[in-house]
């Protein structure tokens, strides 16, 4: 039920994002979503890709510090209040959100949100019990 | 571990009584001083100015009456001005890298080469090397004394010297595997580099025949020893030397790993206060000074090494009576003064290793608004990494706190991508000081 996200350490240096995306392109990896957390000196690039294992190996071979993080993906209706509902469920269930990022899907009227929480299992159970749709790795690339 | 019995290359000297040693030292000092006065105009002038006559030196106890010699004196007399013998007696020349100024050139007579080789032979035997070993020498061969120094020592004990020299790490590993190298000799930073390369290639150190390593030419910490031993699966020993005095083998560790025995029958050590220049008693840290009592071509008198260490004459478990010096803490010219606090790069290395981080770092010193700043660049690795900024920040804070408590001055930490800090196959560049005075 979890989605494998790649997390990559990047120094805040010119050309790093170009370099890493070129490496992935050469390996034929398709990027579906990304987000960057940045500090003054470095950033963490988070990527959802079609073949996380291959991407992981490719980046390792190119001397990047990279890990695979298990995150939750949910599908929410692209209308006001839908995402707020999911957030309220987690808040009331005392689940903390480390970070989140969203992207539009090919499914009409839907948006996908990636969530990294402090308690994955609890979050998953709260959300699915309330009828929020949990997305699987393969669904992202449909 | 091989045999547990300690063996000596020259037992008579290495286990001599204090009295025997002093007798040899006195005799050799008198001869060296006489040779300097008669053959080196620089020393004659110095002695005459001080009103000192070679006859005033009657035993080793008179050594502190003699003038000190500085690196600058070698530079001022570049290249051969301080040689005490004619060129017909010189059989070899080495030189320092000249990274901190003009090169310093050192000459050797046939006997000097023999003396120096005895030093490295003693070092090799002290770590358990025998004539059945393959000695893998990854120090550079050339003007630098590392390669040839260990090479001659290895041949002296009848072992097989493998003169790989530095560089081409994959070939080094190939040779270690195929030839079954038993003893590795290189700089400690290169030992780590070889170890990391092994690890990345998925080669277990258990599959190698390496038993011991002799690492020198850079000051290194106890934590670095543990790191190297873990990476390479061997016992890591320190060796000390400098080209001005001879090269590696001036002092060496035995299997006790508790200080370096000085070949004091050739190189007489003293510790002085670098400020007042007065001799310091055993046990106190200060600048190491050597007098080359056993050398012909360049018998330097009370040469200031800039290395900070302390001497001890306490009995060593290995049976050697040769005085021991502690692992050098650093050099007076490596010492950084950050906002008035003395900081040695080796202390930073110690902190990094004690935080469980690989010793790939670089210290950047700057001056911002007339305030010194120090930043330690550290390569990110898997064990420190997380997808959460908060978690990485907590690692940074932990390192910063440890630096503060050990150094007594605050330092910034900057995490950089793996394998981006310059690696050297010789001496690692650990400090970049951007302050302009």
């Amino acid at each position: 039920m979890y989605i494998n996200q790649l997390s990559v350490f990047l120094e805040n240096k010119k050309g790093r994002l170009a370099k890493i995306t070129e490496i992935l392109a050469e390996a034929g990896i398709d990027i579906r979503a990304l987000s960057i957390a940045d500090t003054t000196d470095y950033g963490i690039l988070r990527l959802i890709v079609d073949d996380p294992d291959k991407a992981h190996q490719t980046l390792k071979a190119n001397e990047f510090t990279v890990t695979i993080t298990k995150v939750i993906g949910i599908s929410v209706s692209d209308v006001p209040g839908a995402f707020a509902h999911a957030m309220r469920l987690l808040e009331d269930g005392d689940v903390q959100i480390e970070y989140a990022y969203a992207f539009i899907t090919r499914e009409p009227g839907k948006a996908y949100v990636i969530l990294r929480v402090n308690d994955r299992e609890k979050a998953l159970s709260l959300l699915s019990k309330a009828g929020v749709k949990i997305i699987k790795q393969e669904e992202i690339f449909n | 571990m091989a045999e547990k019995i300690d063996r000596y290359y020259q037992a008579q000297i290495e286990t001599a009584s204090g009295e025997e040693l002093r007798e040899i030292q006195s005799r050799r000092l008198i001869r060296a001083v006489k040779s300097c006065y008669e053959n080196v105009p620089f020393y004659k002038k110095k002695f005459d100015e001080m009103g000192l006559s070679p006859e005033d030196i009657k035993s080793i106890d008179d050594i502190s009456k003699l003038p000190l010699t500085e690196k600058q004196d070698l530079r001022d007399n570049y290249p051969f001005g301080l040689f005490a013998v004619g060129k017909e007696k010189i059989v070899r020349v080495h030189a320092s890298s000249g990274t901190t100024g003009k090169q310093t050139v050192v000459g050797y007579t046939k006997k000097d080469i023999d003396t120096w080789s005895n030093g490295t032979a003693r070092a090799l035997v002290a770590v358990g090397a025998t004539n059945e070993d393959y000695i893998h020498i990854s120090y550079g061969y050339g003007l630098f004394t590392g390669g040839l120094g260990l090479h001659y020592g290895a041949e002296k004990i009848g072992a097989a010297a493998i003169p790989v020299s530095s560089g081409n790490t994959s070939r080094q590993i190939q040779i270690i595997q195929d030839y079954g190298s038993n003893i590795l000799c290189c700089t400690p930073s290169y030992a780590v580099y070889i170890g990391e390369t092994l690890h990345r290639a998925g080669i277990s150190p258990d599959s190698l025949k390496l038993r011991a390593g002799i690492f020198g030419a850079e000051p290194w910490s106890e934590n670095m020893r543990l790191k190297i031993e873990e990476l390479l699966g061997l016992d890591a020993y320190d060796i000390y030397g400098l080209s001005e005095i001879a090269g590696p083998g001036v002092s060496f560790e035995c299997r006790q790993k508790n200080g370096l025995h000085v070949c004091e029958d050739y190189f007489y050590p003293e510790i002085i206060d670098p400020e007042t220049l007065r001799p310091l008693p055993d046990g106190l840290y200060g600048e190491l000074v050597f007098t080359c009592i056993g050398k012909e071509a360049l018998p330097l008198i009370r040469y200031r090494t800039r290395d900070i260490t302390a001497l001890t004459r306490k009995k060593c478990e290995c049976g050697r009576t040769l005085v021991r010096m502690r692992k050098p803490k650093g050099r007076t010219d490596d010492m950084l003064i950050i906002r008035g606090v003395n900081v040695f790069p080796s202390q930073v290395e110690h902190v990094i290793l004690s935080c469980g981080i690989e010793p790939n770092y670089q210290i950047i010193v700057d001056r911002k608004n007339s305030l010194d700043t120090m930043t330690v660049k550290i390569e990110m690795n898997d064990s420190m990494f997380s997808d959460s900024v908060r978690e990485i920040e907590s690692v940074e804070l932990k390192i910063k706190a440890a630096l503060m408590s050990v150094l007594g001055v605050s330092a910034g930490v900057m995490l950089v991508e793996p394998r981006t800090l310059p690696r050297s196959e010789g001496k690692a560049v650990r400090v970049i000081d951007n302050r302009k005075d």
Side-chain angles (χ1 to χ4, degrees):
Chain A
M1 287 310 268
Y2 301 117
I3 290 171
N4 287 326
Q5 168 199 271
L6 291 177
S7 310
V8 193
F9 180 80
L10 285 186
E11 244 177 272
N12 280 357
K13 258 190 332 200
K14 200 170 160 289
R16 296 311 287 156
L17 207 50
K19 175 87 185 155
I20 191 169
T21 46
E22 277 162 13
I23 289 170
L24 291 173
E26 263 168 48
I29 306 279
D30 191 10
I31 302 171
R32 192 69 174 92
L34 68 80
S35 119
I36 299 176
D38 67 319
T39 71
T40 318
D41 298 327
Y42 62 86
I44 303 167
L45 172 67
R46 298 157 184 151
L47 294 167
I48 305 291
V49 298
D50 59 344
D51 190 342
D53 290 334
K54 186 179 176 194
H56 184 253
Q57 278 168 19
T58 306
L59 293 176
K60 271 260 166 245
N62 281 278
E63 316 266 9
F64 282 94
T65 304
V66 52
T67 100
I68 290 185
T69 316
K70 292 206 180 303
V71 292
I72 294 173
I74 56 171
S75 168
V76 291
S77 297
D78 193 5
V79 293
F83 183 51
H85 169 64
M87 292 300 98
R88 174 53 58 196
L89 287 171
L90 295 179
E91 166 62 22
D92 291 348
D94 211 18
V95 173
Q96 282 165 32
I97 296 163
E98 292 272 352
Y99 56 82
Y101 52 102
F103 53 106
I104 301 297
T105 72
R106 288 170 196 162
E107 197 181 337
K110 292 284 180 188
Y112 287 171
V113 182
I114 300 293
L115 297 169
R116 157 77 145 92
V117 295
N118 65 339
D119 188 340
R120 264 195 319 248
E121 277 180 39
K122 191 171 176 193
L124 208 57
S125 119
L126 286 167
L127 292 165
S128 42
K129 263 188 212 150
V132 176
K133 193 190 170 207
I134 309 295
I135 46 171
K136 299 192 185 84
Q137 186 96 26
E138 53 273 18
E139 285 178 85
I140 292 179
F141 282 87
N142 280 343
Chain B
M1 182 70 78
E3 52 174 313
K4 289 276 195 301
I5 309 155
D6 282 294
R7 293 179 313 109
Y8 317 103
Y9 178 64
Q10 291 170 311
Q12 216 185 339
I13 283 292
E14 293 179 67
T15 60
S17 71
E19 224 168 284
E20 285 168 323
L21 271 173
R22 296 185 67 75
E23 193 274 316
I24 294 168
Q25 287 164 342
S26 295
R27 186 159 37 85
R28 289 188 177 164
L29 177 68
I30 291 165
R31 194 177 59 197
V33 166
K34 190 163 173 282
S35 168
C36 280
Y37 190 77
E38 286 169 5
N39 302 308
V40 186
F42 165 81
Y43 279 123
K44 179 172 192 312
K45 187 163 170 268
K46 251 194 168 176
F47 279 41
D48 289 348
E49 278 168 8
M50 294 170 75
L52 189 72
S53 151
E55 284 75 48
D56 296 336
I57 306 303
K58 295 183 176 68
S59 83
I60 197 74
D61 297 328
D62 295 322
I63 196 156
S64 54
K65 291 180 185 166
L66 292 163
L68 292 160
T69 308
E70 310 250 0
K71 197 177 185 91
Q72 192 56 40
D73 298 326
L74 278 164
R75 289 182 178 144
D76 292 346
N77 291 281
Y78 175 86
F80 308 140
L82 296 186
F83 286 11
V85 298
K87 59 181 157 193
E88 75 286 353
K89 290 203 76 184
I90 300 285
V91 300
R92 175 102 65 84
V93 208
H94 280 285
S96 74
S97 55
T99 40
T100 55
K102 205 189 240 175
Q103 282 190 355
T104 49
V105 184
V106 184
Y108 303 78
T109 65
K110 209 170 170 50
K111 186 158 169 274
D112 290 340
I113 295 287
D114 195 58
T115 299
W116 175 25
S117 312
N118 282 340
T120 46
R122 288 177 193 174
L124 283 161
V125 172
V127 307
T130 72
N131 58 3
E132 295 190 2
D133 284 320
Y134 284 91
I135 317 278
H136 186 108
I137 302 165
S138 309
Y139 280 115
Y141 278 67
L143 284 176
F144 175 54
T145 50
L148 286 166
L150 266 305
H151 185 103
Y152 273 63
E155 287 191 353
K156 257 210 172 223
I157 66 166
I162 315 176
V164 200
S165 198
S166 61
N168 198 343
T169 308
S170 55
R171 192 184 59 168
Q172 302 269 359
I173 290 172
Q174 187 80 49
I175 290 173
I176 291 172
Q177 287 183 302
D178 295 350
Y179 299 10
S181 309
N182 304 109
I183 315 274
L184 175 66
C185 308
C186 62
T187 58
S189 53
Y190 193 46
V192 170
Y193 187 81
I194 294 176
E196 284 179 343
T197 312
L198 273 179
H199 183 75
R200 283 149 42 84
I203 301 165
S204 159
D206 297 340
S207 68
L208 308 175
K209 294 201 173 127
L210 289 176
R211 194 172 76 234
I214 294 185
F215 307 114
E218 289 168 353
W220 49 300
S221 61
E222 277 306 319
N223 277 330
M224 186 83 152
R225 189 200 308 272
L226 300 177
K227 183 85 225 168
I228 294 172
E229 293 187 339
E230 180 201 318
L231 279 171
L232 290 169
L234 46 67
D235 279 299
Y237 300 96
D238 201 354
I239 190 167
Y240 173 88
L242 58 169
S243 61
E244 298 93 308
I245 301 306
V250 169
S251 68
F252 57 87
E253 275 186 337
C254 63
R255 286 199 275 205
Q256 298 300 319
K257 299 178 187 169
N258 187 18
L260 295 93
H261 290 282
V262 180
C263 292
E264 57 175 316
D265 52 326
Y266 299 138
F267 317 109
Y268 186 81
E270 296 169 89
I271 300 291
I272 63 165
D273 179 324
E275 301 288 327
T276 66
L277 308 181
R278 284 203 194 96
L280 292 174
D282 286 356
L284 290 188
Y285 275 91
E287 182 178 340
L288 180 62
V289 167
F290 277 112
T291 301
C292 301
I293 53 175
K295 269 178 72 194
E296 297 176 331
L298 189 62
L300 293 179
I301 292 176
R302 303 189 79 209
Y303 183 73
R304 296 184 63 179
T305 64
R306 306 278 165 190
D307 288 308
I308 305 289
T309 185
L311 297 178
T312 171
R313 286 182 168 80
K314 281 194 191 117
K315 197 170 178 285
C316 181
E317 291 292 316
C318 75
R320 282 176 188 78
T321 49
L322 298 175
V323 62
R324 276 175 294 158
M325 55 183 260
R326 298 217 174 277
K327 266 173 103 56
K329 255 193 191 175
R331 295 172 55 78
T332 54
D333 42 10
D334 276 355
M335 188 179 79
L336 295 162
I337 303 177
I338 311 287
R339 299 197 286 278
V341 178
N342 297 348
V343 172
F344 288 102
S346 59
Q347 293 175 293
V348 173
E349 179 179 293
H350 180 80
V351 169
I352 289 172
L353 284 156
S354 66
C355 291
I357 297 166
E358 304 295 310
N360 296 318
Y361 65 95
Q362 195 169 45
I363 301 164
I364 314 287
V365 185
D366 244 307
R367 185 165 288 150
K368 284 172 191 152
N369 305 324
S370 70
L371 194 68
D372 298 333
T373 62
M374 178 168 122
T375 304
V376 184
K377 282 190 180 181
I378 300 172
E379 285 184 4
M380 175 53 94
N381 65 17
D382 288 348
S383 68
M384 294 154 72
F385 185 56
S386 149
D387 63 313
S388 144
V389 172
R390 200 163 44 87
E391 281 167 27
I392 297 178
E393 280 175 347
S394 81
V395 174
E396 284 181 297
L397 283 175
K398 188 181 132 197
I399 304 169
K400 271 188 205 169
L403 285 170
M404 179 71 204
S405 92
V406 170
L407 307 179
V409 64
S410 70
V413 169
M414 184 173 164
L415 300 171
V416 299
E417 286 176 27
R419 301 183 84 78
T420 54
L421 292 178
R423 277 170 174 69
S424 161
E425 288 169 342
K427 297 190 189 194
V429 181
R430 296 299 197 194
V431 180
I432 294 180
D433 195 337
N434 295 318
R435 289 177 294 189
K436 309 248 184 315
D437 286 314

